[in-house]
Amino acid sequence: MATQQTAVVDPLTQTKLTRVSRQPGMYDRFSTAMKSFRVLKDLTPEQVDSFMKSYVIYDLDWANEKQMIEVLGPDYQKKVGACLSDYYAVLNHLCAIGELEKMYVPPILDASVSVLANQILYEELVAEELQLPPNAHVLDIGCGRGRVAAHMTEMTDAKVTGLNIDTDQLASAVAYNKLMGYANDFIHRDMNELPLPFADEQFDGFYQVQAFSLCKDLPKLCSEVYRVLKPGSRVSLLDWASLEAYNPEDPHHQELMRAVKPIIGAVGTPTPESMVAALEGAGFRMIRHYVGGINGLQAPFLERLKSYFYTARWAMQGLTTVGLLPMHFRTLFNRMTQDSDAFIEADKSRLITTCYHWVAEKPLGNAGGLKSASPLSSEDSVKFDSLASSDNEYVHADTPASSQDSLAPKSSAKA
């Protein structure tokens, strides 16, 4: 596994970060893919059926409780949790066959390199943004297979506690982090079961990657995150959001939204403003928020991934036809790739994004002031949001020089 390291010293905290530009080598990727392939091959009919039925929740939305009760019953929150477990227990292996073992499409920070490399670039950015102290303890909600947690530890020496609803992914997270020699913890828990199982002011930082789209009550969860963070700690969020161009009264927009939610696994539909309101309502001070990546679009990566998984689907159809693979491979890959064109169209039309980025901090209190040297007000951070989808470039004074190029949106000509 190739590794290149450069020391990065944050000018605000003087915390030395080791920027590790690494991605799995050919053998590592093949080994991971084969393990997931074997798991998929051995799925029982009941597991496949549960996976297919789990998609019912993506026709629903937390905001419409009446519909939730009508479809799932009065204990709808538990039903959603059960569906999520059934969904991710299979989906994480489907994703691991391709470039999505970490189960998120990152902002495009460098269009010349792979999805995997851009995930690494984004995670480096998060490590810098959190401004962690030495021997930090970090919370990761929706930790998946624990690869992001391992990378965070690799860069900062922080201990990460990961929380996830799917026991299959947690088992992979535990095994991988043990193999890497990291003492990270992983807990089986539904984020919607509050309060969180942690003490007050336990963590030095928090991040989540495309997990809050599954949150039933953003204000309550943000309040819990605020409670378990130490004063002065930062949060970094990357998630799905509907954007200003989305018109809920437009039938075509509605159709696109219905098609996209199952692909990205979203039960809620936050907006940039609703997330800001939840964070500020909990007591956080916003630093910045914007659509991440070059020109704010993910379509180039989405098209690349579509091509890969369509090729895989074609191969699975052939192998199932001649009896070399069980027929459920065809079922799984057909469902996974369904409506990918709608996802690409919605992204290109700037109706939605899965790479909206929020950074905030918990104030130190009356005696201390804020951790950052020159934090933006929420009003200023909204201005950043308006710039992020344009071709303009910006640099924020609160951003370490080493990450300025990653943050600044580039013109489409540079993409």
Side-chain angles (χ1 to χ4, degrees):
M1 184 179 291
T3 302
Q4 293 181 340
Q5 297 186 354
T6 58
V8 178
V9 179
D10 188 298
L12 301 179
T13 63
Q14 298 301 304
T15 298
K16 186 175 182 181
L17 305 176
T18 301
R19 171 169 290 202
V20 182
S21 298
R22 60 183 293 168
Q23 56 182 308
M26 186 66 70
Y27 174 79
D28 297 314
R29 288 295 310 127
F30 180 77
S31 176
T32 297
M34 287 306 298
K35 287 178 183 177
S36 286
F37 183 86
R38 287 192 290 269
V39 171
L40 294 172
K41 185 175 182 293
D42 294 337
L43 289 176
T44 65
E46 292 76 19
Q47 287 173 309
V48 175
D49 186 56
S50 295
F51 171 72
M52 297 300 291
K53 288 181 177 178
S54 71
Y55 278 83
V56 65
I57 62 177
Y58 301 121
D59 290 327
L60 308 173
D61 198 288
W62 290 119
N64 190 339
E65 185 176 42
K66 180 180 178 181
Q67 186 185 33
M68 281 276 188
I69 294 173
E70 288 175 352
V71 175
L72 301 177
D75 60 343
Y76 65 89
Q77 181 173 319
K78 289 186 178 180
K79 292 286 183 62
V80 169
C83 285
L84 289 174
S85 292
D86 293 336
Y87 174 80
Y88 282 107
V90 175
L91 188 73
N92 85 89
H93 294 290
L94 289 169
C95 290
I97 289 177
E99 285 190 290
L100 292 178
E101 185 179 10
K102 293 179 180 178
M103 299 190 67
Y104 77 97
V105 181
I108 301 178
L109 301 177
D110 185 343
S112 68
V113 296
S114 68
V115 172
L116 283 168
N118 275 270
Q119 288 175 334
I120 290 168
L121 289 173
Y122 173 71
E123 292 156 20
E124 289 173 345
L125 170 62
V126 172
E128 292 177 5
E129 287 179 329
L130 291 181
Q131 299 183 7
L132 299 171
N135 303 311
H137 192 184
V138 179
L139 177 62
D140 174 356
I141 290 182
C143 63
R145 293 162 67 97
R147 272 52 173 180
V148 178
H151 191 202
M152 184 64 64
T153 299
E154 186 174 37
M155 291 183 291
T156 68
D157 288 329
K159 177 181 179 179
V160 178
T161 293
L163 183 148
N164 200 274
I165 196 171
D166 174 27
T167 55
D168 185 88
Q169 291 181 80
L170 287 172
S172 178
V174 170
Y176 182 78
N177 279 261
K178 183 178 180 180
L179 178 66
M180 297 297 290
Y182 300 143
N184 293 330
D185 296 325
F186 298 95
I187 298 172
H188 180 222
R189 182 82 172 199
D190 183 346
M191 75 175 78
N192 293 311
E193 293 180 5
L194 300 177
L196 295 173
F198 306 116
D200 293 356
E201 301 183 3
Q202 180 174 340
F203 297 99
D204 299 286
F206 167 77
Y207 67 87
Q208 66 90 10
V209 180
Q210 296 176 3
F212 275 19
S213 55
L214 303 174
C215 175
K216 180 177 183 290
D217 192 324
L218 279 172
K220 286 185 178 179
L221 183 54
C222 287
S223 292
E224 275 296 285
V225 172
Y226 185 91
R227 177 183 67 80
V228 303
L229 286 179
K230 297 175 184 177
S233 299
R234 285 190 167 194
V235 300
S236 176
L237 318 179
L238 184 79
D239 223 308
W240 136 269
S242 64
L243 302 177
E244 188 175 356
Y246 175 72
N247 179 3
E249 305 300 323
D250 185 316
H252 184 56
H253 288 190
Q254 293 173 3
E255 182 181 349
L256 289 173
M257 183 68 79
R258 282 193 296 269
V260 169
K261 286 180 67 177
I263 297 176
I264 63 174
V267 182
T269 310
T271 64
E273 294 74 23
S274 68
M275 189 73 80
V276 169
L279 289 167
E280 290 187 330
F284 288 104
R285 171 69 175 268
M286 293 303 303
I287 296 173
R288 52 182 167 265
H289 63 101
Y290 56 93
V291 181
I294 297 171
N295 205 26
L297 292 177
Q298 290 179 289
F301 277 175
L302 299 178
E303 289 168 338
R304 187 184 307 178
L305 292 167
K306 173 192 169 183
S307 177
Y308 175 85
F309 282 106
Y310 267 55
T311 300
R313 184 180 72 174
W314 174 82
M316 298 304 168
Q317 287 174 341
L319 293 171
T320 55
T321 298
V322 298
L324 294 178
L325 287 178
M327 285 300 296
H328 67 247
F329 269 87
R330 179 180 298 196
T331 301
L332 297 176
F333 274 86
N334 283 347
R335 189 61 189 88
M336 183 186 184
T337 56
Q338 183 177 322
D339 295 321
S340 55
D341 287 332
F343 192 4
I344 294 169
E345 179 184 347
D347 180 75
K348 286 183 175 179
S349 301
R350 302 187 189 277
L351 305 181
I352 57 93
T353 184
T354 62
C355 64
Y356 204 95
H357 190 50
W358 298 262
V359 183
E361 63 188 355
K362 179 175 180 176
L364 283 169
N366 293 334
L370 297 175
K371 182 176 183 179
S372 62
S374 55
L376 291 175
S377 68
S378 297
E379 181 179 357
D380 289 333
S381 66
V382 171
K383 292 177 182 176
F384 268 56
D385 174 40
S386 67
L387 283 172
S389 60
S390 72
D391 289 338
N392 296 327
E393 296 191 17
Y394 66 80
V395 174
H396 175 30
D398 183 42
T399 304
S402 58
S403 65
Q404 288 173 353
D405 291 340
S406 296
L407 279 172
K410 310 297 184 182
S411 67
S412 57
K414 295 181 182 179

